[in-house]
Amino acid sequence: MAMEEVKKSLWHAFDILDKSAQPQKVRTTQVHKTKLRVLTNNLGHILQVDSAETIWDKVTEDNVTFDDFMDVLSNNLLVGLAKLPEAKNATLKSEIDNLCWMLCERTYVQRIKSLNESEAEAERKERREFSSTDRFRLWKIFNFLCEQAEDGSVLTPLRIDVEETERIAVEICKAVGIPVLKPNALERRLSYSEGSFLLDFSEFVSLVAERIGDEEAVNVVGHGISEVSNQIISDVVRKGHLVKFGNKVTTWKERWFVLTATALRYYVSAEEKDLKGTIFIGSGCFTQSFPDRPGGKHHRFKLHTPNKQYELSAPDLRSKNEWMSDIKHVVNSVGSTGVSLQRLAWKERKKEREEKRRRTAEEEMRRVADREKLLDRERQLEEERKQRQLAQEEIKERERLLELERQKRAEEEEQRRLETSQLLEEKRKEIEDEKQRFADIEQRLKEEREALVASSQEALEAEREQRAQVEARLREEEAQLEEERRRLRELEEAKVSLEALVEEERALKRDEEIVRNLQSRILEEELLKREELEKLQAEQQRRLEEEQLSRQGLEAVREQQEEELRLAQETLEKIAWEREEADRQMREAADKLKQAERERQVLEERLRLKEMTTSVRLARPLDRPDPNPFVTHRGLGAFTEAEFQRRLPDSAAEGADSFDVNELSVAAKSLTL
């Protein structure tokens, strides 16, 4: 009895006692030893140990963990079980399983009901539950396929992988021939165990029921669960009908064969009640295929064992190849490890799942890294876009400041021009006023001279008298005139200075024009830089579009690969259909050959009867005139003349012979076809 399998069953009982002891139904991984006394007492009854519950008197702790519980049982109750015969171990294991299931069944049923009710509020109707026998078989399947450590030790709490659950549901549906529903809420199932791929027993049963479907499907899966349970627990590799050639009675008989990891058993029927024989599979066994021959069994192969040879015939070529392949697989696995074939297959599936999930995780990490790179690239582009926007805003601000400065300078220049023109106008008016005043003085002096010349003749004497006064006055006027001339010269100098100021103003304007040219050149350089920035932006936009196109190309390649995969799947389905059609045609051809063989045998019997009939005809009396036809070897009057003449005419006999020959030719043609 495998201790690890017993440990799995006992864990369920321990877990039920653990949760039932808590008001909130929370696992504490510890159970009070008083609750374990009843379980230990029942185990003692199974193992024929009296007062087994007294082993807990030696335990000082009140609360016991599962490991401590197993240590106590291993050191007291389960000692020496490994030395018992295999049949006895199997019986004890079955009784322990029944005990643990009896303790756990009611609690598990309540958990499954609560789980289904919480999920079926608005989308799923109520359906009938599995029977108690089906739940027990599912429980044993769960225990066999639950997760284990690398060294084969039990991992608690017991959990089963969700893909194993899906496979079990598919196998059950295939066994009874019902469709398998696709999982429409796998993410919800994964949330049972906080997002992992592992399910406990309640979740395992709920997911199997969900995949099976409606109430009618649940009612008919008992046979499928039984088949899957036998296949997994009993390590059944293959079942099916084969025709076996008898060793004692040399005839072909159809038998129901069951191939396990150690033997090939055959029964009278598929009920597997009447065992007719057992062929033990060892390392020295091998199979040998034979070609078909007319008139014999088809699809024959021979199983060689060290002691005997068995000739078998399969229903079709596919079944023959599958049987030979499975027997070869069993022979290769015998003696390699102590693990069953189902356990080896489970380990291979586990490796495949881990490898697939590892590849999926790596692909997801690569996709995340690609998304991060893309996001970094987009962030860089966004930063560059912002920098370009800031540069453009800075250029616009500088243009605005330059425009304001140009407007300010233009206003100042206009102000200076207005002031200069106003000053020049005032100076011009002053010069014109001075000229007008000087002209007035000249005119007055001229008029006075003329008046003096005119009056000189009349008042020469008075003039002489007044000459001194007049000369003094003239000198005074001359001084004033000189003063006026001096002022005129000053005005001329002021005019020259104003012209110099105007020339300086013009020079300033030329300098300002030079500054404007420099500013325009700087602005042109800024415009060139702006064009370069725009070109850089266009290049970056082009690269972004190329990346988007490349991404679209990758999406197109992925879609093309998916389409090719779909076409390949359709091709495989078509090939499978053609193969089934070929098998059907082969079966029809085999039936026709059997019918032709039967007709050939009938014709041979007819020919044999004909030959016998011909020999009888040769014994008829000759048609010779008999001098005394009424006398025979029996005496006078034994036959009459009419009795001698009661036979078929020669023409009728020839017609019968030709009819047999025609029938023979038709039968030969049908046999040839």
Side-chain angles (χ1 to χ4, degrees):
M1 179 172 54
M3 184 62 66
E4 297 299 327
E5 297 299 325
V6 175
K7 187 176 181 180
K8 294 177 183 179
S9 301
L10 293 175
W11 180 86
H12 287 280
F14 186 89
D15 184 61
I16 293 299
L17 294 175
D18 178 15
K19 286 193 174 182
S20 62
Q22 303 297 325
Q24 294 83 12
K25 305 301 181 182
V26 179
R27 183 184 292 110
T28 61
T29 67
Q30 290 183 348
V31 177
H32 199 277
K33 64 180 182 180
T34 56
K35 286 186 169 292
L36 299 174
R37 288 179 177 272
V38 178
L39 177 60
T40 308
N41 186 21
N42 291 325
L43 288 174
H45 287 302
I46 294 174
L47 300 173
Q48 297 179 359
V49 177
D50 297 332
S51 302
E53 68 277 6
T54 57
I55 62 177
W56 295 106
D57 297 337
K58 303 177 183 179
V59 179
T60 58
E61 295 83 0
D62 292 334
N63 294 323
V64 181
T65 63
F66 180 69
D67 293 335
D68 296 336
F69 172 68
M70 289 303 302
D71 290 339
V72 172
L73 293 182
S74 300
N75 296 328
N76 295 276
L77 291 182
L78 305 180
V79 177
L81 291 181
K83 300 179 181 180
L84 294 176
E86 183 179 355
K88 182 65 174 178
N89 279 335
T91 303
L92 293 177
K93 175 64 171 59
S94 177
E95 293 179 358
I96 293 174
D97 288 342
N98 292 329
L99 171 63
C100 295
W101 175 248
M102 181 182 63
L103 182 62
C104 303
E105 181 179 10
R106 181 178 300 176
T107 304
Y108 277 139
V109 170
Q110 293 176 356
R111 291 181 186 176
I112 295 169
K113 284 183 178 180
S114 62
L115 189 61
N116 290 336
E117 290 174 358
S118 63
E119 294 178 355
E121 293 177 355
E123 61 183 65
R124 195 173 61 185
K125 63 182 180 179
E126 182 180 0
R127 58 192 180 191
R128 190 175 300 174
E129 302 174 355
F130 289 116
S131 64
S132 177
T133 304
D134 294 340
R135 283 195 296 267
F136 178 61
R137 289 170 178 167
L138 290 173
W139 182 72
K140 295 178 69 175
I141 294 172
F142 174 85
N143 291 341
F144 186 85
L145 297 177
C146 65
E147 293 296 307
Q148 295 182 0
E150 294 294 335
D151 57 353
S153 59
V154 177
L155 294 176
T156 55
L158 297 183
R159 294 289 185 269
I160 188 172
D161 195 278
V162 66
E163 293 188 9
E164 286 293 325
T165 306
E166 297 288 338
R167 190 184 70 84
I168 293 301
V170 171
E171 292 295 332
I172 292 173
C173 293
K174 286 182 178 180
V176 295
I178 61 176
V180 184
L181 298 181
K182 294 183 178 180
N184 56 359
L186 182 58
E187 292 79 9
R188 185 173 72 252
R189 288 298 180 187
L190 295 181
S191 64
Y192 291 156
S193 300
E194 300 178 356
S196 67
F197 292 96
L198 302 178
L199 308 176
D200 61 14
F201 178 68
S202 303
E203 298 164 353
F204 166 75
V205 176
S206 298
L207 184 54
V208 171
E210 181 179 350
R211 291 300 305 275
I212 291 174
D214 55 5
E215 177 184 350
E216 296 181 359
V218 173
N219 293 335
V220 299
V221 296
H223 177 70
I225 295 174
S226 176
E227 289 291 330
V228 175
S229 176
N230 291 333
Q231 180 180 357
I232 294 175
I233 307 301
S234 303
D235 205 10
V236 175
V237 179
R238 186 174 182 81
K239 293 182 179 182
H241 284 283
L242 292 175
V243 180
K244 176 181 173 296
F245 187 77
N247 293 319
K248 296 181 180 180
V249 181
T250 57
T251 57
W252 292 93
K253 293 184 179 180
E254 186 176 12
R255 294 287 183 254
W256 176 260
F257 282 79
V258 178
L259 177 63
T260 64
T262 57
L264 178 64
R265 297 180 176 87
Y266 51 95
Y267 302 84
V268 175
S269 62
E271 285 77 10
E272 300 180 10
K273 294 181 180 180
D274 188 5
L275 178 64
K276 300 299 292 182
T278 301
I279 305 172
F280 292 99
I281 305 297
S283 58
C285 299
F286 64 94
T287 57
Q288 181 183 3
S289 177
F290 291 99
D292 297 340
R293 60 186 180 184
K297 286 291 181 181
H298 300 285
H299 314 299
R300 295 182 303 118
F301 67 97
K302 186 174 290 186
L303 174 59
H304 295 267
T305 63
N307 300 324
K308 209 171 187 181
Q309 298 179 2
Y310 300 89
E311 188 174 356
L312 305 171
S313 174
D316 50 59
L317 181 61
R318 177 180 178 181
S319 178
K320 168 188 173 181
N321 294 331
E322 289 177 351
W323 274 102
M324 293 179 66
S325 176
D326 291 337
I327 293 173
K328 182 179 179 181
H329 176 65
V330 171
V331 171
N332 294 333
S333 301
V334 168
S336 60
T337 59
V339 185
S340 67
L341 295 179
Q342 294 293 332
R343 182 61 63 188
L344 291 175
W346 175 83
K347 289 183 178 179
E348 293 177 358
R349 292 194 301 270
K350 183 178 180 181
K351 290 181 180 179
E352 292 177 357
R353 287 196 301 270
E354 292 176 351
E355 181 66 20
K356 181 177 67 175
R357 289 168 183 169
R358 184 185 61 79
R359 291 196 300 267
T360 303
E362 291 178 354
E363 292 176 358
E364 185 65 25
M365 291 177 65
R366 285 196 295 270
R367 285 196 295 270
V368 170
D370 293 339
R371 283 198 297 269
E372 289 294 333
K373 290 180 181 179
L374 183 60
L375 291 175
D376 291 339
R377 181 62 179 167
E378 291 179 354
R379 283 195 293 269
Q380 291 177 0
L381 293 175
E382 186 66 25
E383 290 293 333
E384 292 176 358
R385 195 179 299 111
K386 289 181 180 179
Q387 291 177 0
R388 287 196 300 271
Q389 290 179 357
L390 291 175
Q392 291 175 0
E393 291 177 357
E394 185 178 357
I395 291 172
K396 290 180 181 179
E397 184 65 22
R398 292 177 63 182
E399 289 177 353
R400 187 179 65 80
L401 293 175
L402 289 174
E403 184 66 26
L404 292 175
E405 187 176 356
R406 283 196 297 270
Q407 291 178 2
K408 184 178 180 181
R409 289 181 180 179
E411 290 176 357
E412 291 177 354
E413 182 183 355
E414 184 67 22
Q415 185 68 25
R416 285 196 301 270
R417 189 182 63 78
L418 291 175
E419 291 177 354
T420 304
S421 62
Q422 187 177 2
L423 182 60
L424 290 174
E425 186 67 26
E426 290 177 354
K427 293 295 183 182
R428 188 179 62 76
K429 287 181 180 180
E430 289 180 357
I431 292 171
E432 288 179 355
D433 291 340
E434 290 294 333
K435 286 181 178 181
Q436 186 64 33
R437 192 168 59 80
F438 183 74
D440 291 342
I441 293 172
E442 287 285 342
Q443 185 67 26
R444 194 182 64 221
L445 289 174
K446 184 179 181 180
E447 289 176 356
E448 287 180 355
R449 286 193 193 96
E450 290 176 356
L452 287 173
V453 171
S455 62
S456 61
Q457 295 176 0
E458 297 177 355
L460 186 56
E461 290 300 333
E463 185 180 357
R464 287 190 186 107
E465 293 177 357
Q466 295 178 357
R467 179 177 291 179
Q469 297 178 356
V470 173
E471 286 178 356
R473 194 169 51 252
L474 285 174
R475 284 193 296 273
E476 219 171 41
E477 292 291 336
E478 190 68 28
Q480 290 179 0
L481 183 59
E482 188 65 28
E483 182 68 23
E484 291 295 333
R485 288 175 180 172
R486 185 182 63 76
R487 290 180 63 187
L488 184 59
R489 283 194 300 273
E490 290 177 355
L491 290 174
E492 290 292 340
E493 291 174 357
K495 181 179 180 182
V496 173
S497 64
L498 287 174
E499 289 176 355
L501 289 174
V502 171
E503 186 65 27
E504 185 178 358
E505 184 70 23
R506 290 176 180 173
L508 290 173
K509 289 182 178 180
R510 287 194 296 272
D511 294 337
E512 186 178 1
E513 187 68 20
I514 292 171
V515 172
R516 289 180 180 176
N517 291 332
L518 290 174
Q519 291 176 351
S520 63
R521 189 160 55 251
I522 292 171
L523 183 60
E524 290 176 355
E525 291 177 355
E526 291 176 350
L527 290 175
L528 290 175
K529 290 182 179 179
R530 182 177 179 181
E531 291 176 356
E532 290 178 357
L533 289 173
E534 291 177 352
K535 289 181 180 179
L536 181 60
Q537 182 181 4
E539 181 67 20
Q540 291 174 350
Q541 183 67 24
R542 183 181 63 78
R543 290 181 180 177
L544 181 61
E545 292 176 354
E546 290 178 354
E547 290 179 356
Q548 292 177 354
L549 290 175
S550 63
R551 192 185 305 169
Q552 293 176 0
L554 291 175
E555 290 291 330
V557 170
R558 184 180 63 79
E559 293 176 355
Q560 184 178 2
Q561 292 177 353
E562 292 178 352
E563 181 65 21
E564 292 176 355
L565 180 60
R566 185 184 63 79
L567 293 175
Q569 291 177 352
E570 293 178 354
T571 304
L572 288 175
E573 293 176 354
K574 183 177 179 182
I575 291 173
W577 179 83
E578 292 177 353
R579 185 175 182 180
E580 293 177 355
E581 186 66 20
D583 292 340
R584 185 184 62 79
Q585 293 178 359
M586 290 179 65
R587 289 193 296 270
E588 292 177 356
D591 295 336
K592 290 181 179 179
L593 288 174
K594 290 180 180 179
Q595 182 66 24
E597 181 67 17
R598 286 194 294 269
E599 293 177 356
R600 184 184 64 81
Q601 294 176 359
V602 170
L603 290 175
E604 289 178 354
E605 293 294 330
R606 288 183 178 179
L607 289 174
R608 191 178 299 110
L609 291 174
K610 181 179 179 183
E611 291 174 357
M612 293 174 63
T613 305
T614 304
S615 62
V616 171
R617 287 177 182 173
L618 293 176
R620 291 178 182 176
L622 297 176
D623 294 335
R624 293 180 181 179
D626 193 348
N628 194 1
F630 304 104
V631 178
T632 64
H633 64 283
R634 294 185 180 181
L636 182 64
F639 297 96
T640 62
E641 185 177 2
E643 289 178 346
F644 278 104
Q645 294 178 357
R646 284 177 58 190
R647 64 182 181 87
L648 291 174
D650 293 338
S651 60
E654 292 177 357
D657 295 340
S658 63
F659 175 77
D660 293 338
V661 171
N662 292 333
E663 284 186 349
L664 181 61
S665 62
V666 172
K669 289 182 181 180
S670 63
L671 180 60
T672 305
L673 293 176

